[in-house]
Amino acid sequence: MPSYRNLSYDNLGGTGKLYPNDDPEHSDGTVVMFDERFNTSDGLAHLVPAQWLPAKELPDEEYPFILNTGRLLEHWHTGSMTRRSFALDAIAPRAEVYVNPLDAQELGLVDDGWAQVTSRRGQIELNVKVSHREGRGNCFIPFHFREAAANLLTIDEIDPFGKIPEFKFCAVRIAPWEPR
């Protein structure tokens, strides 16, 4: 990449450098990339409006909850490395579905109990975490746990413009579950 052309391990130092950096021996680099002008022909930012599109799968009577998937602070990627770390896995050792307290009460779910989460594509069983973070009608499942793989539930519909699959959002139902 041209912006890195004169950076090397020798001049990065202990804290690294910002880029572009015309003189990495004597400067930390460009702190603010565009202060007076943007890198456009007229120097102005060019904002392009985007049309909002709904998700391909929205909640309904059969699947009334919105599932959001994502990361936990303690784990990243699929957990293939961080789940092998005793310290990180001890902090967040199990798959959980995070559910709003009012939704949990209506569904008969209890904190540290078990739930089965089902979508049109599959189902997983995992522990319940009653959480004020989630709004009514929403639940969250981290995707780091192969024993309760959130992506078994998600939809692979592709965004027509960004070509990104909708792995972060789908409709689900949640019910209490007892391990056998």
Side-chain angles (χ1 to χ4, degrees):
M1 180 169 165
S3 296
Y4 297 154
R5 72 184 172 279
N6 57 356
L7 297 178
S8 69
Y9 285 108
D10 294 334
N11 63 27
L12 286 177
T15 58
K17 302 289 180 173
L18 301 172
Y19 64 92
N21 188 328
D22 293 329
D23 186 11
E25 299 297 330
H26 302 99
S27 169
D28 282 337
T30 304
V31 175
V32 177
M33 185 72 76
F34 304 111
D35 54 3
E36 298 293 325
R37 293 180 52 87
F38 284 88
N39 190 22
T40 60
S41 60
D42 59 7
L44 301 176
H46 297 182
L47 304 178
V48 180
Q51 181 181 355
W52 178 83
L53 296 172
K56 293 294 182 184
E57 182 176 84
L58 299 174
D60 57 25
E61 282 188 33
E62 189 175 1
Y63 300 95
F65 286 86
I66 294 171
L67 167 64
N68 294 287
T69 69
R71 292 171 173 79
L72 294 177
L73 174 64
E74 298 80 10
H75 298 297
W76 54 88
H77 299 302
T78 60
S80 60
M81 298 285 286
T82 56
R83 298 241 8 245
R84 295 179 192 191
S85 162
F86 175 79
L88 295 174
D89 204 49
I91 296 168
R94 66 185 190 182
E96 295 175 316
V97 57
Y98 293 71
V99 182
N100 178 280
L102 296 174
D103 289 334
Q105 184 178 6
E106 287 177 6
L107 294 168
L109 300 171
V110 296
D111 198 51
D112 291 326
W114 285 85
Q116 183 177 73
V117 182
T118 306
S119 75
R120 289 176 175 84
R121 288 151 299 281
Q123 67 187 36
I124 59 175
E125 293 79 31
L126 63 172
N127 289 99
V128 174
K129 181 71 173 171
V130 176
S131 168
H132 291 279
R133 281 187 344 181
E134 277 51 60
R136 294 288 315 262
N138 288 269
C139 64
F140 172 80
I141 298 175
F143 53 66
H144 313 291
F145 300 89
R146 67 179 180 197
E147 62 273 23
N151 281 351
L152 292 175
L153 306 174
T154 58
I155 189 169
D156 61 359
E157 187 68 34
I158 302 291
D159 174 89
F161 301 103
K163 308 301 184 208
I164 301 167
E166 286 188 5
F167 289 152
K168 304 279 185 218
F169 182 104
C170 70
V172 297
R173 67 173 171 256
I174 311 168
W177 183 79
E178 288 297 324
R180 294 184 180 110

